Amino acid sequence: MRVAVASGKGGTGKTTVATSLARALAGSSRVGGNGCGTLLLDCDVEAPDAHVFLRPSLPVHRTVTVPTPSVDTSLCDACGECAEVCRFQALTVLPSGVVTFPALCHGCGNCARACPREASTEVPRRIGVIE
Amino acid sequence: MRIAIPATGEGKESRPDDRFGRCSCFAVFDMASSSWSFVPNGARRHEHGAGIAAARRLIDHDVDVVIGPRLGPNAAQVLERASITCLPFPGQGGDTVEAVLQTWLQEERGH
């Protein structure tokens, strides 16, 4: 059986209900214990906090990165091809050279592919940790 | 020297726009020729990075000074890198882009 607890509104008690339900079903203080094979998935992508309620041990710890452009200024001739293909304006070409905005980059890699001088390469940017 | 002011429409009697990246157009005054030109702001339709694209457009139009609303950090960075001066709208006397320009010119002469 799968039970989804959802609400479009914050602060309505989703986590309280979900964690209480999980604990009751598991019949123990730890989710994922022997209970009845209970698994709780906190699918809140912005602010998951079920772990604050349940304090589980999380063995997996993995850094997540997205590739973002790094421009070698010795190779770049400011032709603007990279900025042309970026739909997020993560690069812009000024008379003084290319300026990158890593926070706007979605990691598609178009800029590196478009660069005729291979001046733009992708470097990993840390965006968070999976645990 | 060329001065750009975000505007809600084309014409020097247009109201200044309180958005930079998503303004309707830029009213650009050229001091050498004492004439206005109006640059449509295509960047306003960008889903992302409108401020950056708008700033880029002002560089293409050889703008030296922007008089406008408070800029976002990305647009501010682009203009700064291009040595374009950013000034806030005057507190008063800025109902039209012409008035904004005149207020700024008066302040400049006062200095």
Side-chain angles (χ1 to χ4, degrees):
Chain A
M1 181 172 62
R2 291 176 181 180
V3 180
V5 181
S7 162
K9 171 88 177 73
T12 55
K14 293 181 291 294
T15 304
T16 305
V17 170
T19 53
S20 300
L21 201 55
R23 264 187 79 159
L25 288 171
S28 77
S29 59
R30 273 189 62 214
V31 173
N34 292 330
C36 49
T38 307
L39 184 66
L40 174 68
L41 300 175
D42 190 341
C43 298
D44 186 332
V45 292
E46 285 166 345
D49 59 354
H51 63 286
V52 176
F53 287 58
L54 296 175
R55 300 176 185 281
S57 64
L58 300 165
V60 179
H61 191 94
R62 185 160 64 86
T63 300
V64 180
T65 62
V66 290
T68 46
S70 169
V71 178
D72 184 338
T73 51
S74 68
L75 295 175
C76 175
D77 63 355
C79 71
E81 294 281 332
C82 54
E84 194 66 34
V85 296
C86 180
R87 54 179 292 208
F88 298 101
Q89 318 293 325
L91 309 95
T92 195
V93 180
L94 305 183
S96 58
V98 178
V99 181
T100 60
F101 298 92
L104 297 182
C105 175
H106 285 52
C108 71
N110 274 348
C111 53
R113 278 189 291 275
C115 181
R117 297 172 62 87
E118 297 185 358
S120 177
T121 51
E122 296 183 286
V123 295
R125 180 174 70 92
R126 184 181 180 278
I127 56 167
V129 173
I130 291 180
E131 50 181 22
Chain B
M1 185 183 277
R2 289 163 65 80
I3 298 104
I5 302 168
T8 53
E10 298 190 8
K12 63 180 186 175
E13 299 304 319
S14 299
R15 277 190 306 114
D17 202 321
D18 57 10
R19 298 162 304 170
F20 175 78
R22 298 189 190 282
C23 67
S24 171
C25 75
F26 288 99
V28 179
F29 186 76
D30 185 284
M31 292 193 39
S33 63
S34 265
S35 64
W36 287 98
S37 57
F38 300 90
V39 179
N41 179 24
R44 72 180 188 277
R45 286 188 212 93
H46 284 243
E47 245 179 274
H48 309 271
I52 295 171
R56 187 71 195 72
R57 197 146 172 75
L58 294 183
I59 294 169
D60 290 340
H61 282 80
D62 296 322
V63 163
D64 304 286
V65 176
V66 175
I67 306 175
R70 192 187 173 88
L71 299 186
N74 294 337
Q77 190 187 333
V78 172
L79 294 178
E80 190 190 330
R81 285 282 295 264
S83 302
I84 294 176
T85 307
C86 300
L87 302 168
F89 281 137
Q92 291 180 333
D95 293 340
T96 65
V97 292
E98 170 75 7
V100 169
L101 176 76
Q102 292 305 330
T103 305
W104 178 72
L105 288 174
Q106 277 169 20
E107 278 178 22
E108 282 290 290
R109 287 189 197 110
H111 282 301

